[in-house]
Amino acid sequence: MTARERARFAAANPKSERLAEEAKASLFGGVPMHWMADWPTPFPLFVAEASGARFKDVDGHDYVDFCLGDTGAMFGHAPPPVAAAIREQAARGYTTMLPGEDAVWVGNELKRRFGLPYWQVAATATDANRYALRWARAVTGRDRILVFDGCYHGTVEETMVRLEGGKAVPRPGQLGPVTDVEKTTRVVAFNDVAALEKALAPGDIAAVLAEPAMTNIGMVLPDAGFHDALRDLTRKAGTLLIIDETHTISTGPGGWTRAFGLAPDIFVLGKPVAGGIPCAVFGVSADVARRMEAARAKASAGGHGHSGMGTTLSANAFAMHAMRANLKNVMTDEAFAHMILLAERLSAGLERVIAAKGLPWSVTQIGARCEFQFCEKPPRSGREAEAAFHDSLEKCIHLALLNRGVMITPFHNMTLMCPQTQAPDVDHLVGALGDVIDEIRNA
Ligand code: PMP
């Protein structure tokens, strides 16, 4: 079936194939960023344009997009208020390494929306997490961090780990890693409160960095009471709690944190916060901010940007103006209500297909996001989620869906709704998945 779908893709996409060939002459691996070659297609699909919940490829095919740039375009491609803000800022300069009025508006809005009093802006979620961890080490005077097995928080080396024999080992597949992760990082299984308690007990962990629910190894929801235990244990151990909401912002306008009353010391949000323009933010509690001031004063050799955090283009005028428009006019309560309703429709549709085909699969939803996994019960840990991976089946499904005009997130079976996604789009995905499953069975 995969061979047939690859041939069908190749026949339907001659212009993408030609561009892919030409690109090989000047781009390493034929793409401007090597992940772009990691799709199940025989060559990369080249995009002509994207708008709302759809994109068009260079051969003229239209797709319903449930990947949405793996969350970067969670509020639709080119949301009109962000497009207008970009046009406005285009005539007023992009980067001066100085703040403008937008910074004040954005700071107040982030404080109102997410509840933490003080904010900083970075260029990517990877950067924001790196800075959050660095501040945490600086203010606690501790070296180690703790993450959950199967996590992904961007390419932050001390978080690129797996749990083996009770210890952190480098995550397989990395190129050129240098960090001794056994020294920098402790790892425990998500939802394992006893292991968490034991790992925090020595009092040497600067911060726990966690998604409120795991979304990068399939999806893993927290057990009832897990977050209470996580907060209590981190407080007792003098460990800061960093909550990374980059994906779980799908829960609602204030993320999982506001929906479920979490109380992080540091809160991180990247990807969609400026409507798809590179930008990320992190907020800190009043206590952390006070300790950051003290750490800065102690370390200060006169400033000059040698803190180990920040990049020249972070918080540039373009990103700040786009973020203001996005927070004000795009990431609205109404947008979330629509997206969540459609995710409920999709979850119900997926469950219907799975039941009708008698498959031992499960569906998990986090607000506007849902995922089907090849296991009967939703997994409770990264390891359980990984045990349900089936690489060749997953690739075949993703490719076959693409050939039927639907794109879902690569690497697992995650789907995301945006404000422009409509019920017929959801029904298209459910119908196409049913057809693909039948074809795989009959292949
Ligand atoms: N945090 C989480 C939870 C993520 O899922 C990701 C990306 N998948 C990141 C951070 C890193 O985002 P970026 O690649 O934009 O830096």
Side-chain angles (χ1 to χ4, degrees), residues 149-416:
D149 186 39
C151 73
Y152 185 74
H153 296 284
T155 49
V156 183
E157 208 174 305
E158 63 268 38
T159 68
M160 303 273 286
V161 295
R162 292 306 307 267
L163 176 63
E164 289 293 343
K167 290 205 171 90
V169 298
R171 191 179 185 126
Q174 288 180 82
L175 300 165
V178 292
T179 304
D180 181 352
V181 291
E182 211 190 310
K183 289 217 175 82
T184 59
T185 312
R186 216 161 273 155
V187 197
V188 299
F190 200 66
N191 282 322
D192 188 343
V193 174
L196 180 65
E197 184 164 16
K198 191 162 161 237
L200 291 173
D204 59 349
I205 301 287
V208 171
L209 171 59
E211 284 190 277
M214 301 190 86
T215 67
N216 281 293
I217 188 147
M219 293 204 319
V220 183
L221 297 180
D223 289 348
F226 177 67
H227 276 290
D228 291 337
L230 174 60
R231 187 59 280 195
D232 283 351
L233 291 170
T234 44
R235 275 211 181 104
K236 258 190 219 132
T239 294
L240 299 181
L241 177 60
I242 307 172
I243 291 290
D244 178 357
E245 290 261 19
T246 296
H247 277 178
T248 50
I249 187 68
S250 61
T251 313
W256 187 291
T257 293
R258 207 170 85 196
F260 295 99
L262 304 190
D265 298 295
I266 306 183
F267 172 106
V268 174
L269 173 60
K271 294 194 188 184
V273 72
I277 296 294
C279 188
V281 296
F282 61 104
V284 301
S285 69
D287 179 53
V288 171
R290 190 181 45 72
R291 294 162 70 188
M292 283 161 69
E293 291 274 8
R296 214 171 164 217
K298 203 165 134 210
S300 180
H304 304 308
H306 291 153
S307 64
M309 288 170 277
T311 59
T312 311
L313 297 183
S314 296
N316 67 73
F318 213 58
M320 295 304 287
H321 203 51
M323 178 157 54
R324 178 176 184 166
N326 195 52
L327 288 167
K328 185 166 182 203
N329 296 316
V330 183
M331 280 177 78
T332 60
D333 293 0
E334 299 73 47
F336 271 99
H338 171 82
M339 291 152 70
I340 291 168
L341 211 64
L342 284 177
E344 279 162 8
R345 185 185 183 95
L346 180 55
S347 292
L350 292 172
E351 268 160 9
R352 227 171 28 245
V353 168
I354 289 167
K357 312 288 174 199
L359 291 163
W361 298 0
S362 54
V363 177
T364 301
Q365 187 188 341
I366 300 176
R369 184 187 296 286
C370 64
E371 163 115 17
F372 57 97
Q373 292 171 104
F374 306 136
C375 51
E376 202 150 16
K377 279 204 207 121
R380 287 187 56 244
S381 69
R383 189 150 298 259
E384 273 182 38
E386 192 178 32
F389 280 4
H390 190 309
D391 204 42
S392 58
L393 175 61
E394 179 189 299
K395 284 193 168 122
C396 182
I397 291 174
H398 289 217
L399 176 59
L401 287 176
L402 259 184
N403 283 335
R404 287 154 185 77
V406 192
M407 187 159 83
I408 68 173
T409 313
F411 316 134
H412 46 111
N413 300 310
M414 195 156 74
T415 58
L416 184 60

